Short mmCIF file of all heavy atoms in Angstrom, two decimals:
data_model
loop_
_atom_site.label_atom_id
_atom_site.label_comp_id
_atom_site.label_asym_id
_atom_site.label_seq_id
_atom_site.Cartn_x
_atom_site.Cartn_y
_atom_site.Cartn_z
N GLY Z 40 136.17 55.68 89.72
CA GLY Z 40 135.97 54.83 88.56
C GLY Z 40 136.72 55.27 87.32
O GLY Z 40 136.63 54.62 86.29
N HIS Z 41 137.46 56.36 87.39
CA HIS Z 41 138.14 56.87 86.19
C HIS Z 41 139.48 56.16 85.94
O HIS Z 41 139.78 55.79 84.81
CB HIS Z 41 138.36 58.36 86.32
CG HIS Z 41 139.00 58.98 85.10
ND1 HIS Z 41 138.29 59.24 83.95
CD2 HIS Z 41 140.28 59.33 84.84
CE1 HIS Z 41 139.10 59.76 83.04
NE2 HIS Z 41 140.32 59.83 83.56
N TYR Z 42 140.27 56.01 86.97
CA TYR Z 42 141.62 55.45 86.81
C TYR Z 42 141.61 53.94 87.06
O TYR Z 42 140.78 53.44 87.80
CB TYR Z 42 142.58 56.15 87.77
CG TYR Z 42 142.73 57.62 87.47
CD1 TYR Z 42 142.03 58.56 88.19
CD2 TYR Z 42 143.56 58.05 86.43
CE1 TYR Z 42 142.15 59.91 87.91
CE2 TYR Z 42 143.69 59.40 86.14
CZ TYR Z 42 142.98 60.33 86.87
OH TYR Z 42 143.10 61.66 86.58
N PRO Z 43 142.58 53.24 86.42
CA PRO Z 43 143.66 53.75 85.58
C PRO Z 43 143.19 54.05 84.16
O PRO Z 43 142.17 53.51 83.72
CB PRO Z 43 144.66 52.59 85.57
CG PRO Z 43 143.79 51.38 85.72
CD PRO Z 43 142.68 51.79 86.64
N VAL Z 44 143.92 54.90 83.47
CA VAL Z 44 143.67 55.17 82.05
C VAL Z 44 144.96 54.97 81.27
O VAL Z 44 146.06 55.11 81.81
CB VAL Z 44 143.13 56.60 81.81
CG1 VAL Z 44 141.79 56.79 82.46
CG2 VAL Z 44 144.13 57.66 82.28
N THR Z 45 144.82 54.63 80.02
CA THR Z 45 145.97 54.49 79.12
C THR Z 45 145.71 55.32 77.88
O THR Z 45 144.64 55.24 77.28
CB THR Z 45 146.19 53.02 78.73
OG1 THR Z 45 146.41 52.25 79.90
CG2 THR Z 45 147.39 52.87 77.81
N VAL Z 46 146.68 56.16 77.52
CA VAL Z 46 146.58 56.96 76.30
C VAL Z 46 147.75 56.61 75.40
O VAL Z 46 148.77 56.07 75.85
CB VAL Z 46 146.58 58.48 76.61
CG1 VAL Z 46 145.40 58.85 77.50
CG2 VAL Z 46 147.90 58.92 77.24
N GLU Z 47 147.59 56.91 74.11
CA GLU Z 47 148.69 56.70 73.17
C GLU Z 47 149.36 58.04 72.90
O GLU Z 47 148.71 58.99 72.47
CB GLU Z 47 148.20 56.09 71.86
CG GLU Z 47 149.34 55.78 70.90
CD GLU Z 47 148.90 54.97 69.70
OE1 GLU Z 47 148.05 54.09 69.86
OE2 GLU Z 47 149.41 55.25 68.60
N ASN Z 48 150.66 58.10 73.14
CA ASN Z 48 151.43 59.33 72.98
C ASN Z 48 152.66 59.04 72.12
O ASN Z 48 153.53 58.29 72.53
CB ASN Z 48 151.84 59.85 74.36
CG ASN Z 48 152.69 61.11 74.32
OD1 ASN Z 48 153.63 61.25 75.10
ND2 ASN Z 48 152.37 62.03 73.44
N CYS Z 49 152.67 59.60 70.92
CA CYS Z 49 153.77 59.39 69.98
C CYS Z 49 154.04 57.91 69.75
O CYS Z 49 155.20 57.45 69.73
CB CYS Z 49 155.03 60.12 70.44
SG CYS Z 49 154.93 61.92 70.34
N GLY Z 50 152.96 57.13 69.61
CA GLY Z 50 153.06 55.72 69.31
C GLY Z 50 153.29 54.82 70.50
O GLY Z 50 153.32 53.60 70.36
N GLU Z 51 153.42 55.40 71.69
CA GLU Z 51 153.65 54.61 72.91
C GLU Z 51 152.42 54.68 73.80
O GLU Z 51 151.86 55.76 74.02
CB GLU Z 51 154.86 55.16 73.67
CG GLU Z 51 155.14 54.42 74.97
CD GLU Z 51 156.26 55.05 75.77
OE1 GLU Z 51 156.87 56.03 75.28
OE2 GLU Z 51 156.53 54.58 76.89
N LYS Z 52 151.99 53.53 74.30
CA LYS Z 52 150.87 53.52 75.23
C LYS Z 52 151.40 53.83 76.63
O LYS Z 52 152.34 53.20 77.10
CB LYS Z 52 150.17 52.16 75.21
CG LYS Z 52 149.46 51.90 73.89
CD LYS Z 52 148.63 50.64 73.95
CE LYS Z 52 147.99 50.34 72.58
NZ LYS Z 52 147.09 51.41 72.14
N LYS Z 53 150.75 54.81 77.28
CA LYS Z 53 151.20 55.25 78.60
C LYS Z 53 150.03 55.12 79.58
O LYS Z 53 148.96 55.67 79.34
CB LYS Z 53 151.70 56.69 78.55
CG LYS Z 53 152.91 56.87 77.65
CD LYS Z 53 153.44 58.28 77.70
CE LYS Z 53 154.06 58.60 79.04
NZ LYS Z 53 155.31 57.86 79.31
N ARG Z 54 150.28 54.42 80.67
CA ARG Z 54 149.25 54.19 81.68
C ARG Z 54 149.43 55.16 82.86
O ARG Z 54 150.55 55.42 83.31
CB ARG Z 54 149.31 52.75 82.18
CG ARG Z 54 148.46 52.50 83.43
CD ARG Z 54 148.42 51.04 83.79
NE ARG Z 54 148.00 50.83 85.17
CZ ARG Z 54 147.31 49.79 85.59
NH1 ARG Z 54 146.96 48.86 84.73
NH2 ARG Z 54 147.00 49.66 86.86
N PHE Z 55 148.32 55.68 83.34
CA PHE Z 55 148.31 56.55 84.50
C PHE Z 55 147.33 55.99 85.53
O PHE Z 55 146.14 55.81 85.24
CB PHE Z 55 147.90 57.98 84.10
CG PHE Z 55 148.92 58.65 83.23
CD1 PHE Z 55 148.91 58.46 81.85
CD2 PHE Z 55 149.90 59.47 83.77
CE1 PHE Z 55 149.86 59.05 81.04
CE2 PHE Z 55 150.86 60.07 82.97
CZ PHE Z 55 150.84 59.86 81.60
N ASP Z 56 147.84 55.73 86.72
CA ASP Z 56 147.01 55.21 87.80
C ASP Z 56 146.35 56.33 88.60
O ASP Z 56 145.45 56.06 89.41
CB ASP Z 56 147.84 54.34 88.74
CG ASP Z 56 148.32 53.08 88.05
OD1 ASP Z 56 147.55 52.50 87.26
OD2 ASP Z 56 149.47 52.68 88.27
N ARG Z 57 146.81 57.53 88.39
CA ARG Z 57 146.22 58.71 89.06
C ARG Z 57 146.67 59.93 88.26
O ARG Z 57 147.58 59.84 87.43
CB ARG Z 57 146.71 58.82 90.51
CG ARG Z 57 148.22 58.93 90.62
CD ARG Z 57 148.70 58.94 92.05
NE ARG Z 57 148.39 57.70 92.73
CZ ARG Z 57 149.09 56.58 92.61
NH1 ARG Z 57 150.14 56.54 91.79
NH2 ARG Z 57 148.76 55.49 93.28
N ALA Z 58 146.07 61.07 88.52
CA ALA Z 58 146.47 62.30 87.84
C ALA Z 58 147.80 62.79 88.41
O ALA Z 58 147.97 62.87 89.63
CB ALA Z 58 145.40 63.37 88.03
N PRO Z 59 148.79 63.12 87.55
CA PRO Z 59 150.03 63.71 88.05
C PRO Z 59 149.74 65.00 88.83
O PRO Z 59 148.82 65.75 88.50
CB PRO Z 59 150.82 64.01 86.77
CG PRO Z 59 150.28 63.02 85.77
CD PRO Z 59 148.82 62.91 86.09
N GLN Z 60 150.52 65.24 89.86
CA GLN Z 60 150.28 66.38 90.74
C GLN Z 60 151.33 67.47 90.65
O GLN Z 60 151.09 68.60 91.07
CB GLN Z 60 150.20 65.89 92.20
CG GLN Z 60 149.07 64.91 92.47
CD GLN Z 60 147.71 65.51 92.18
OE1 GLN Z 60 147.42 66.64 92.59
NE2 GLN Z 60 146.87 64.77 91.47
N ARG Z 61 152.52 67.15 90.10
CA ARG Z 61 153.61 68.14 90.07
C ARG Z 61 154.25 68.13 88.66
O ARG Z 61 155.37 67.67 88.46
CB ARG Z 61 154.65 67.87 91.15
CG ARG Z 61 154.08 68.03 92.57
CD ARG Z 61 155.18 68.05 93.61
NE ARG Z 61 156.15 69.11 93.42
CZ ARG Z 61 155.94 70.38 93.77
NH1 ARG Z 61 154.80 70.76 94.33
NH2 ARG Z 61 156.89 71.27 93.57
N VAL Z 62 153.50 68.64 87.71
CA VAL Z 62 153.94 68.67 86.32
C VAL Z 62 154.86 69.86 86.09
O VAL Z 62 154.57 70.98 86.54
CB VAL Z 62 152.74 68.76 85.37
CG1 VAL Z 62 153.20 68.75 83.91
CG2 VAL Z 62 151.76 67.62 85.63
N VAL Z 63 155.94 69.63 85.37
CA VAL Z 63 156.80 70.71 84.89
C VAL Z 63 156.65 70.77 83.38
O VAL Z 63 156.80 69.76 82.69
CB VAL Z 63 158.28 70.49 85.27
CG1 VAL Z 63 159.18 71.49 84.56
CG2 VAL Z 63 158.46 70.62 86.79
N THR Z 64 156.32 71.95 82.86
CA THR Z 64 156.17 72.14 81.42
C THR Z 64 157.34 72.94 80.87
O THR Z 64 157.95 73.74 81.58
CB THR Z 64 154.86 72.88 81.09
OG1 THR Z 64 154.85 74.15 81.78
CG2 THR Z 64 153.65 72.08 81.51
N ASN Z 65 157.62 72.72 79.60
CA ASN Z 65 158.68 73.47 78.93
C ASN Z 65 158.11 74.20 77.72
O ASN Z 65 157.45 73.60 76.88
CB ASN Z 65 159.79 72.54 78.46
CG ASN Z 65 160.94 73.33 77.85
OD1 ASN Z 65 161.67 74.01 78.55
ND2 ASN Z 65 161.10 73.26 76.54
N ASP Z 66 158.34 75.49 77.65
CA ASP Z 66 157.97 76.34 76.53
C ASP Z 66 156.53 76.85 76.69
O ASP Z 66 155.70 76.28 77.40
CB ASP Z 66 158.13 75.63 75.19
CG ASP Z 66 158.46 76.59 74.05
OD1 ASP Z 66 158.70 77.78 74.32
OD2 ASP Z 66 158.48 76.15 72.90
N VAL Z 67 156.25 77.93 75.97
CA VAL Z 67 155.01 78.67 76.19
C VAL Z 67 153.78 77.94 75.66
O VAL Z 67 152.75 77.89 76.33
CB VAL Z 67 155.13 80.09 75.57
CG1 VAL Z 67 155.48 80.04 74.10
CG2 VAL Z 67 153.86 80.89 75.79
N GLY Z 68 153.86 77.34 74.47
CA GLY Z 68 152.69 76.66 73.92
C GLY Z 68 152.26 75.49 74.78
O GLY Z 68 151.07 75.28 75.03
N ILE Z 69 153.24 74.71 75.23
CA ILE Z 69 152.96 73.55 76.08
C ILE Z 69 152.36 74.00 77.40
O ILE Z 69 151.37 73.42 77.89
CB ILE Z 69 154.25 72.74 76.30
CG1 ILE Z 69 154.70 72.09 74.97
CG2 ILE Z 69 154.09 71.71 77.39
CD1 ILE Z 69 156.07 71.48 75.01
#
Side-chain angles (χ1 to χ4, degrees):
H41 183 77
Y42 296 99
V44 296
T45 301
V46 300
E47 184 171 322
N48 178 220
C49 291
E51 178 185 357
K52 292 187 184 299
K53 297 184 69 68
R54 169 173 161 148
F55 293 85
D56 293 321
R57 59 184 63 81
Q60 298 300 313
R61 295 192 59 79
V62 182
V63 170
T64 58
N65 184 70
D66 210 8
V67 56
I69 292 170

